[in-house]
Amino acid sequence: IYLYIYIIYCTYISCMCWPLCSRANCILLLRASEVVLFFFVLTVLSAFLLTMKTVQGLFVYVAILNWPRCNFRRPSEPYTIPSLDKILPYQARTFPGLHNARFVSVQGHAGALNGWSIYPNASQPTGEGEVMERSDGGMVAKAKAVLYFHGNGCNRAGFDHVRKYKLLTSMGFHVFAFDYRGFGDSEGWPDEEGLVEDAESMFQFVQDEGFHANETMFWGHSLGGAVAVQLASRLSTHRWRQQNKSKRQGSRSSNKGKRKGGRRKTKEEAVAEAKAAREPNSSPAMRRPHSIVLESTFTSISELIWEEYTPSPLAMFLSPTALEQLLKHHFPSIIEIHSTHSPMLILHGEDDRVIPHTHGAALAKAAASTREVSD
């Protein structure tokens, strides 16, 4: 296509300029035109590629980085994370390994999902039979397990994640850490629906291991927080894929969670679902997680890109609505959070340079509209 356009363009320039300019000036004009045409075609081609779902996924998930590298099947082995000082502010670190962890594998919709089952320290209580007092005076059973969802551009062996595993197991929690499809040593290629499917498979595995839903805490970091919110929303609104056989087989038209015309649900629909899920006889309450922790999570992919990663010249020709329509990956946590009803803790640093803390504040405000807030 580029060669065809180039031939037509050069013919046009030659016919127009040859009678008017000297041969040297014509050649110089052709060379300048070549450069302009090349960058024009490159810009158009890049814009076209960026509208493709697969290409967008490369930037949203950054799964190709798959950092750090280690022997995933032997979590007890020590491994070293090399220094990335020239790229990221990380120094080389060596981890002694997780001696209380074992390798586990779950069969997901796109292939094997691999992870670690990390047992609580032997000297710590497991939380079995313990209760905690709520702010309203009621009693609630203490969580026994943590299902951890990591963010993009890394895998379950990231040093920040490992530090949290050790902290949680020292507190008596049993931690389950998995890699979504395309991350770590798991099979498949990531996309929005696929990551939520994988989260469902992970959650089912945790229950198969003997932990009920109301004994399991969701902990999501960055992108993982958006995945945790979507899973919790499905659990609260009859949209859990594990119990929807027709949707698993690809019959989206008969899915209860599907909105009219295939569109994503609006904030008003999410609030309506939230009210229905709070009915006393609502069965999804039995499938809700014990609690949810969101760490440095965004409100939605489109809002994050528009606020932080859209160049000013491009913003002159693009609107937030148009950007949302162009994106194939959304993760609308600000909407889905209205359908979650488990106790929630939102953590976000004011000095976060990747996701502004205003996103955490917006999520906290949205979550407060469907649950009681305690000081």
Side-chain angles (χ1 to χ4, degrees):
I1 294 175
Y2 174 75
L3 181 61
Y4 179 72
I5 296 175
Y6 174 73
I7 292 173
I8 294 177
Y9 191 75
C10 287
T11 304
Y12 172 77
I13 292 294
S14 300
C15 293
M16 295 295 295
C17 299
W18 194 271
L20 304 176
C21 305
S22 64
R23 181 179 179 183
N25 289 338
C26 261
I27 293 175
L28 182 61
L29 183 60
L30 282 173
R31 294 292 178 264
S33 301
E34 287 178 10
V35 175
V36 173
L37 181 62
F38 172 77
F39 282 104
F40 173 76
V41 173
L42 184 64
T43 302
V44 173
L45 182 61
S46 300
F48 172 74
L49 290 175
L50 287 175
T51 62
M52 298 176 63
K53 184 176 181 179
T54 303
V55 176
Q56 290 182 9
L58 291 173
F59 295 95
V60 172
Y61 306 108
V62 204
I64 194 172
L65 183 60
N66 198 18
W67 179 83
R69 306 299 177 105
C70 68
N71 189 346
F72 293 106
R73 294 180 178 269
R74 293 186 178 180
S76 59
E77 287 188 359
Y79 62 95
T80 300
I81 298 178
S83 174
L84 295 177
D85 232 3
K86 295 182 179 180
I87 305 175
L88 297 172
Y90 296 142
Q91 299 294 331
R93 302 192 181 194
T94 300
F95 288 91
L98 295 168
H99 299 284
N100 54 337
R102 68 181 176 93
F103 173 81
V104 294
S105 184
V106 177
Q107 186 58 38
H109 297 274
L113 302 173
N114 300 323
W116 295 333
S117 175
I118 312 167
Y119 296 89
N121 294 350
S123 60
Q124 298 296 327
T126 61
E128 187 170 354
E130 297 182 12
V131 295
M132 298 185 300
E133 185 174 358
R134 294 191 314 208
S135 58
D136 59 2
M139 305 300 289
V140 61
K142 181 180 179 181
K144 301 177 184 178
V146 175
L147 180 55
Y148 188 87
F149 304 96
H150 65 73
N152 66 343
C154 62
N155 53 53
R156 64 183 185 272
F159 66 83
D160 281 336
H161 307 323
V162 173
R163 288 191 300 183
K164 279 177 271 190
Y165 305 157
K166 292 184 176 181
L167 173 63
L168 291 168
T169 54
S170 70
M171 298 170 63
F173 292 102
H174 190 133
V175 178
F176 294 89
F178 285 85
D179 280 318
Y180 323 103
R181 61 184 67 185
F183 289 82
D185 55 343
S186 294
E187 300 173 349
W189 184 259
D191 60 73
E192 181 175 1
E193 183 67 19
L195 262 62
V196 181
E197 286 181 352
D198 295 343
E200 293 174 2
S201 300
M202 300 172 195
F203 187 48
Q204 183 61 55
F205 175 82
V206 172
Q207 294 178 85
D208 293 341
E209 289 287 290
F211 296 96
H212 297 295
N214 59 4
E215 298 174 329
T216 305
M217 176 196 302
F218 290 174
W219 189 305
H221 173 253
S222 188
L223 174 68
V227 175
V229 167
Q230 286 215 33
L231 176 58
S233 174
R234 290 189 178 188
L235 296 174
S236 298
T237 55
H238 299 273
R239 292 187 294 138
W240 195 17
R241 185 179 294 267
Q242 294 291 350
Q243 296 190 0
N244 194 330
K245 303 297 183 181
S246 61
K247 188 171 183 179
R248 175 184 288 185
Q249 296 170 358
S251 180
R252 297 181 180 270
S253 60
S254 61
N255 180 15
K256 293 181 180 180
K258 189 72 173 179
R259 274 71 64 188
K260 282 186 178 180
R263 60 182 175 84
R264 295 186 295 113
K265 66 180 178 182
T266 63
K267 181 177 179 180
E268 290 73 18
E269 290 171 337
V271 172
E273 286 183 353
K275 291 180 179 179
R278 286 199 295 270
E279 293 297 324
N281 297 324
S282 180
S283 59
M286 301 300 295
R287 301 196 302 268
R288 297 173 193 162
H290 173 277
S291 50
I292 305 171
V293 178
L294 302 182
E295 180 186 359
S296 302
T297 301
F298 48 79
T299 54
S300 71
I301 290 289
S302 59
E303 288 186 13
L304 178 62
I305 293 178
W306 177 257
E307 294 175 5
E308 296 297 316
Y309 302 103
T310 302
S312 299
L314 183 60
M316 297 173 60
F317 304 97
L318 195 65
S319 66
T321 304
L323 176 63
E324 184 176 4
Q325 293 175 348
L326 289 173
L327 291 175
K328 311 298 182 183
H329 309 265
H330 301 278
F331 290 102
S333 301
I334 193 67
I335 295 176
E336 296 286 354
I337 205 168
H338 287 281
S339 301
T340 65
H341 309 285
S342 303
M344 183 175 292
L345 172 64
I346 298 179
L347 308 172
H348 213 124
E350 292 184 353
D351 59 346
D352 194 324
R353 293 179 295 177
V354 179
I355 302 174
H357 75 282
T358 52
H359 285 248
L363 289 174
K365 183 178 180 180
S369 65
T370 58
R371 50 178 58 79
E372 296 181 0
V373 180
S374 59
D375 295 331

